[in-house]
Amino acid sequence: MKACIRKYTLNFKRPSGTSRGVLTQKETWFLILRDGNGLGIGECAMFRGLSCDDVPEYEDTLRWTATNIGKGEDWLLAGLRKFPSIQFGVEQAFRSLASGNPFLLFPSEFTTDRAPIPINGLIWMGDEKYMQQQLHQKLDEGFQCIKIKIGALDFKRELKLLSTIREKYREQDISLRVDANGAFTMEQASQRLASLVPYAIHSIEQPIRAGNWKAMKRLCEETPVPIALDEELIGIYGADRKEELLRTIRPQYLVLKPSLLGGFAGSMDWITLAGKMGIGWWVTSALESNIGLNAIAQWVYTLQSTVPQGLGTGGLYTNNFESPLSVAAGNLYHLDTQNWKRNIVEELCI
């Protein structure tokens, strides 16, 4: 077996805002395996400024992974504990190689276009006009679950956007999620959570910055709006430590990003613990290319969750790879054709 690494830079169609700043590009890397005529592709989707493996030795670790590929998946995953995005790529690459089809990792009714995955429609941060435009587009497209990133605008203006929805749609018609990305201080959080109550919010992701377990525990105990942990899960290794976090904070939900949490296996650790403690969860992509997103979507379907997931089609980028994924009426579909597969192989692997 041979392995190589390919770096690829994704360009946003327009700057995309989060509470951490505005994104114009997203780096990603691909681990490509060859064994005879077999081909395996995995995306190592490290996220600058967010991934716990955003460290100077990241690319050296990628090369180490390729050099040691012959030692097998389990050996590599054990040695990559502190590099969850590379674990994510290793899992994909080995699974796609074993399948005989580098893009069919988890065969199911989803991959044969017989069953979709319900997803939320994401509203990116921007000026008020841009956010309103996105909102109307998502509602027109038939999404029944809307997720809005907050924390960049004046909070009163963000409440106005939520009010726009609730003036027309009841909670039974449109489910609203908001994502603060840790934008609030502890002093702000309690008051702002209370301010969200009139808008029947399903949940708020990461109201304060990760790392303050005691403060987050207090918020989760007192909150009038269910809280979902997101960034709080990043960089937490080992079953004991993960269980300690959940038993301490006792959140209402978890938001799971496989490329930030050690791939499918790392995410399943959180799902298993959440199930034991009665904590809800859903899976969200983290700006992967369509290659990683396709793998995540296939895996998510096997979990048989009825909760809307945080997935899409990679349409944020000007130079994303072709994809079988399509969205209609708030659902993600896998519409398989041969052209997209051939085009990716020609662009990435030759």
Side-chain angles (χ1 to χ4, degrees), residues 119 136-146 174 328-331:
I119 61 173
H136 292 309
Q137 179 182 351
K138 296 301 180 185
L139 292 173
D140 289 344
E141 290 173 352
F143 282 92
Q144 294 180 308
C145 181
I146 301 291
I174 297 291
N331 289 293

Side-chain angles (χ1 to χ4, degrees), residues 123-152:
I123 309 299
W124 282 88
M125 288 181 180
D127 59 43
E128 190 172 349
K129 181 180 179 181
Y130 174 55
M131 294 183 74
Q132 288 279 4
Q133 287 174 345
Q134 293 179 81
L135 173 60
H136 292 309
Q137 179 182 351
K138 296 301 180 185
L139 292 173
D140 289 344
E141 290 173 352
F143 282 92
Q144 294 180 308
C145 181
I146 301 291
K147 173 179 168 179
I148 301 176
K149 287 187 173 288
I150 62 174

Side-chain angles (χ1 to χ4, degrees), residues 73 124 126 150 159 172 178 180 190 202 260 264 280 293 300 320 324:
E73 181 179 3
W124 282 88
I150 62 174
L159 291 180
Q172 299 93 316
V178 296
S190 295
H202 170 272
L260 303 181
F264 309 123
L293 182 57
V300 165
N320 209 339

